[in-house]
Amino acid sequence: MGYLLFACLLSLISFIAAVNREQTAGEPTKFPVGVVLDMDTWVGNISWSCISMAMEDFYAANRNYTAKLDLFKRNSQEDVVSAASAALDLLINRRVQAIIGPQTSIQAKFVAELGNKTHTPIISFSATSPSLSSVRTPYFIRTALSDSSQAQAIAALVHSFGWSQLIPIFEDTEYGTGMIPYLVDAFQATDARVPHRSMIPLSANEDQILKELFYLMTLQTRVFVVHASYSLVARLLVQANEIGMMREGYAWIVTYGLTDHFGVMDDSTLKAMHGVLTINPYVPQYLDFNAKWKDRFQRENPAAVAEKIEPSVYAMWAYDTVWALALAAEASNTMAVAASHKRKLEAVNGNHTTDLEDLHQSQGGGKLLDSILGLNFDGVTGRFQLVNGQLQAKSFEIINIVGDKKKKVGYWTSEHGISGKLETGANLEGIVWPGGGGTAPNGLDWQSNNKTLRIGVPVKKGFMEFVNREWNPQTKRNGSGFCIEVFDTVMATLPYRIPYEYIPFEDGKGHMKGSYNELVYQVYRQNFDAVVGDVTITPNRSLYVDFSVAYTELGMAMVVPIKDDRGKSAWIFLKPLTADLWLVSGAFFVFTGFVVWVLEHRINEGFRGPPSSSTWHHLLLLLLHTRLRSQFRIVGVVPSLHSHSSI
């Protein structure tokens, strides 16, 4: 009886084990993936919300997949060391096959090196610095746009308003400095000048920010392009508003990322940003996605203001990143590798370490990398297709901050440039500038330091038509003449007013203080800002100053009166026939007749009679006709030679 009971118990245990094996066989293999985010920040918070929603949506739509992402979240706490430590923990103790993140460019720089060493793909949707690339670190993938992609859009925006100068303001980090070379190159391609670059430490206090802003106020440039983290941008614009740099006449452009924090801006920050322009990657509107995300975020964060929250571009890139990684995990046939990693994970599960010596190369990292790079699908941010390990920009939105709202005023596309419509070219819609004005500022303020341009003019006694130092009642300046009028016309056509005055280059006696070379050299010595006058362009002078294009024809000429005493008679054609020419013609006439007579009188009886015979008459007519034809040929040539010599 005991034996029978024992046998039944064994059968029951075997049956339960068989059922468990069948259930386990139908479950997908877990695919370990690390997620490193700054969970204390707004971007990190909403990005994790989109990542979680992407996991639910993907596997709800693909229930038959044999691999499922198993996410391990780590908080990098806005610190480079913490991000590196989190990545080491995930690579060594969790044996992850990919890492989503980290969030910032400076954090991603070190983590990308770890991924390169272990052949583990590092996929960041928010590290946008151009200094990070798959060329240096092949296992780094950017499922976002590089900051360099917005350089052309900003340069085109500056060019559309006719601004000739601007000043970039950027933070002293990998994120801030990485974009500046691309931005300056794009400005120079549109003939815009960058007279100054303002670099501010990310940890700068209010006094440091104010010191830099006060210096910028002393410059003439009134157009500023800000590329910095949101925390620094907010403090910078608030300080600028307090000291009067957000009034009429100023223009501020902020690179993308500012609008991602719009839902968490306080009133003082919104007030300071009134009139600011910013750009944002164009993302098609998926109303179902936005509504679903808002409902989810509102449930998870009941204290948030519902009407202001919306998924940022970074968060939407995070959503597409999860879909891309899930597709690649299924396509790369790395389930066996994942199972092997699971066994290794169980082996080290009780021995947590972050020693670099414990790093091992991933067996399936190369296949996973190739699968991700080869993906091509429609995501919530548009077409997901990586080129050189990153997304490519095709269009940007131009946003105007007006009060507590974002106003879309236009677009930039690679086909149409700056336009008010996405598909066709059109003017930008009404922009509200700092100070509330509706007219774009000219970008320069020459009165900022009360500087008046000093224009040197030569002093001489002759050729007053070119330069005259006397008082001109029309222009109310000490100077007149052709050169002065040309310069006044050029200055009047500028879109902004530049005060200037003419200063004669003279000594105490009213004479020229030196030669023209010395006058030109005064510009090089900064005694004059420019020189206006009849100054010849020479190679030696060009070594010290720049010349405008010559506005008078080069060379020398003399104008003299001429009297036309040529006759108007019908016999004018005989005038070139001089006495010598008549004598030569007569001699040839006689010589030709004599030759004809010698040749004909022996065989032609007509040449043997008296001169009154008809044959002699024919001979004379023939000779006369021949000579007249030759004379007319001479008359046709000589007047033309004579006429040419008179020009």
Side-chain angles (χ1 to χ4, degrees):
M1 188 69 177
Y3 175 78
L4 182 61
L5 183 61
F6 179 73
C8 292
L9 184 60
L10 287 177
S11 299
L12 180 61
I13 294 174
S14 300
F15 175 77
I16 295 174
V19 172
N20 289 336
R21 282 195 301 269
E22 290 180 1
Q23 292 177 350
T24 304
E27 292 180 358
T29 304
K30 290 185 178 181
F31 195 87
V33 174
V35 180
V36 180
L37 296 173
D38 296 332
M39 298 306 300
D40 299 328
T41 65
W42 171 257
V43 172
N45 223 327
I46 62 176
S47 296
W48 175 250
S49 176
C50 276
I51 289 174
S52 302
M53 190 172 74
M55 287 283 293
E56 295 177 3
D57 293 346
F58 182 85
Y59 290 108
N62 301 278
R63 298 181 182 276
N64 59 336
Y65 270 35
T66 57
K68 183 177 181 180
L69 302 185
D70 188 16
L71 302 183
F72 296 93
K73 182 177 65 172
R74 295 291 184 271
N75 185 2
S76 55
Q77 301 175 353
E78 302 182 72
D79 181 67
V80 178
V81 177
S82 298
S85 177
L88 285 173
D89 173 55
L90 292 169
L91 290 170
I92 297 174
N93 299 319
R94 291 298 178 180
R95 302 288 183 176
V96 296
Q97 294 195 63
I99 293 179
I100 298 176
Q103 190 169 310
T104 64
S105 298
I106 191 171
Q107 294 173 359
K109 185 176 183 180
F110 181 75
V111 176
E113 295 293 342
L114 293 177
N116 212 43
K117 180 179 179 65
T118 59
H119 291 186
T120 303
I122 307 299
I123 312 168
S124 180
F125 56 85
S126 56
T128 56
S129 173
S131 60
L132 295 168
S133 68
S134 59
V135 176
R136 298 179 181 176
T137 50
Y139 281 83
F140 174 76
I141 301 172
R142 192 192 338 256
T143 54
L145 300 180
S146 171
D147 285 333
S148 60
S149 63
Q150 58 180 325
Q152 290 186 352
I154 295 176
L157 183 61
V158 170
H159 182 70
S160 67
F161 295 115
W163 295 327
S164 60
Q165 295 184 20
L166 70 154
I167 295 178
I169 304 175
F170 55 98
E171 68 178 44
D172 186 14
T173 63
E174 188 82 16
Y175 167 75
T177 59
M179 180 187 171
I180 297 305
Y182 299 90
L183 199 59
V184 173
D185 289 345
F187 291 148
Q188 291 178 348
T190 59
D191 295 330
R193 292 181 59 246
V194 182
H196 178 71
R197 304 181 190 185
S198 178
M199 183 170 64
I200 301 177
L202 182 60
S203 58
N205 55 35
E206 293 185 2
D207 291 338
Q208 291 174 299
I209 295 176
L210 284 173
K211 181 180 179 181
E212 183 64 21
L213 289 175
F214 279 125
Y215 173 75
L216 295 178
M217 290 183 68
T218 65
L219 305 178
Q220 284 80 26
T221 307
R222 289 294 177 261
V223 180
F224 305 102
V225 177
V226 184
H227 179 64
S229 302
Y230 168 74
S231 59
L232 180 57
V233 171
R235 291 188 293 135
L236 176 73
L237 295 182
V238 168
Q239 295 292 334
N241 183 49
E242 291 180 356
I243 64 175
M245 293 184 69
M246 299 299 294
R247 66 175 186 270
E248 188 173 353
Y250 285 84
W252 292 83
I253 301 175
V254 181
T255 57
Y256 76 73
L258 173 66
T259 54
D260 284 343
H261 297 79
F262 199 76
V264 294
M265 294 181 185
D266 54 28
D267 293 338
S268 61
T269 304
L270 288 173
K271 181 181 178 181
M273 292 182 179
H274 181 72
V276 171
L277 290 178
T278 183
I279 66 172
N280 212 44
Y282 173 70
V283 176
Q285 294 296 321
Y286 293 96
L287 300 180
D288 293 341
F289 171 83
N290 291 347
K292 183 177 180 181
W293 181 87
K294 284 186 177 182
D295 291 340
R296 181 189 183 95
F297 189 82
Q298 191 67 45
R299 290 196 307 269
E300 296 175 353
N301 302 272
V305 181
E307 60 270 16
K308 285 189 175 183
I309 61 171
E310 59 182 16
S312 68
V313 175
Y314 293 122
M316 298 173 75
W317 280 333
Y319 184 94
D320 285 347
T321 299
V322 172
W323 277 67
L325 186 55
L327 289 170
E330 184 71 17
S332 60
N333 295 323
T334 55
M335 278 68 73
V337 177
S340 175
H341 276 221
K342 182 179 179 181
R343 291 192 295 270
K344 293 179 180 179
L345 175 61
E346 293 173 351
V348 300
N349 194 27
N351 185 22
H352 292 279
T353 178
T354 55
D355 293 336
L356 293 175
E357 296 179 354
D358 294 328
L359 287 173
H360 299 282
Q361 287 190 358
S362 173
Q363 298 179 18
K367 290 184 178 181
L368 181 61
L369 177 67
D370 294 338
S371 297
I372 297 174
L373 296 178
L375 290 174
N376 190 349
F377 66 94
D378 288 325
V380 296
T381 57
R383 197 68 181 169
F384 184 95
Q385 185 177 15
L386 302 178
V387 179
N388 296 326
Q390 63 185 15
L391 292 180
Q392 300 298 303
K394 293 184 179 180
S395 57
F396 286 91
E397 299 173 334
I398 302 174
I399 307 297
N400 187 202
I401 307 298
V402 181
D404 60 348
K405 300 184 182 302
K406 298 184 298 183
K407 179 183 178 182
K408 189 182 301 182
V409 296
Y411 300 87
W412 175 89
T413 62
S414 55
E415 295 83 8
H416 303 291
I418 297 295
S419 63
K421 304 294 183 181
L422 183 61
E423 300 296 337
T424 59
N427 295 328
L428 295 177
E429 298 181 8
I431 298 176
V432 178
W433 298 96
T439 303
N442 57 45
L444 292 173
D445 183 11
W446 289 89
Q447 299 287 358
S448 59
N449 53 3
N450 297 323
K451 181 180 179 180
T452 301
L453 294 183
R454 296 167 54 87
I455 311 299
V457 295
V459 177
K460 55 183 183 177
K461 296 182 179 180
F463 297 99
M464 296 298 184
E465 292 79 6
F466 286 99
V467 179
N468 190 349
R469 57 156 294 178
E470 295 181 357
W471 175 263
N472 188 339
Q474 295 181 352
T475 61
K476 297 182 180 181
R477 289 192 177 93
N478 288 319
S480 62
F482 179 71
C483 298
I484 300 298
E485 291 178 4
V486 170
F487 185 78
D488 289 339
T489 303
V490 171
M491 299 301 288
T493 57
L494 294 177
Y496 40 83
R497 180 181 175 275
I498 301 178
Y500 63 94
E501 61 177 341
Y502 295 114
I503 301 177
F505 185 56
E506 61 182 357
D507 55 18
K509 298 181 180 180
H511 301 296
M512 186 87 162
K513 197 173 182 179
S515 64
Y516 273 76
N517 287 336
E518 294 174 345
L519 172 60
V520 171
Y521 194 66
Q522 298 303 312
V523 178
Y524 178 76
R525 297 183 61 183
Q526 298 183 1
N527 293 328
F528 291 142
D529 296 301
V531 168
V532 174
D534 51 346
V535 182
T536 303
I537 303 174
T538 64
N540 181 58
R541 295 172 183 173
S542 299
L543 297 175
Y544 299 97
V545 297
D546 294 326
F547 285 92
S548 66
V549 178
Y551 49 84
T552 59
E553 185 179 358
L554 299 178
M556 299 181 63
M558 181 175 292
V559 181
V560 296
I562 183 172
K563 182 180 180 181
D564 185 8
D565 56 355
R566 293 176 294 179
K568 307 299 182 182
S569 173
W571 298 95
I572 188 65
F573 68 92
L574 295 176
K575 189 173 182 179
L577 303 179
T578 61
D580 294 338
L581 187 59
W582 280 110
L583 291 175
V584 172
S585 298
F588 270 99
F589 181 83
V590 174
F591 176 74
T592 303
F594 176 75
V595 171
V596 172
W597 177 82
V598 170
L599 295 175
E600 295 289 338
H601 84 281
R602 291 178 297 176
I603 60 176
N604 191 343
E605 295 180 355
F607 284 91
R608 297 177 184 174
S612 60
S613 64
S614 61
T615 303
W616 282 100
H617 291 163
H618 291 161
L619 176 62
L620 290 174
L621 290 175
L622 176 64
L623 293 175
L624 181 60
H625 176 70
T626 303
R627 296 317 301 164
L628 286 176
R629 287 183 62 189
S630 65
Q631 294 296 337
F632 277 109
R633 283 197 298 270
I634 295 174
V635 170
V637 173
V638 172
S640 66
L641 290 175
H642 178 73
S643 176
H644 185 272
S645 63
S646 300
I647 294 176

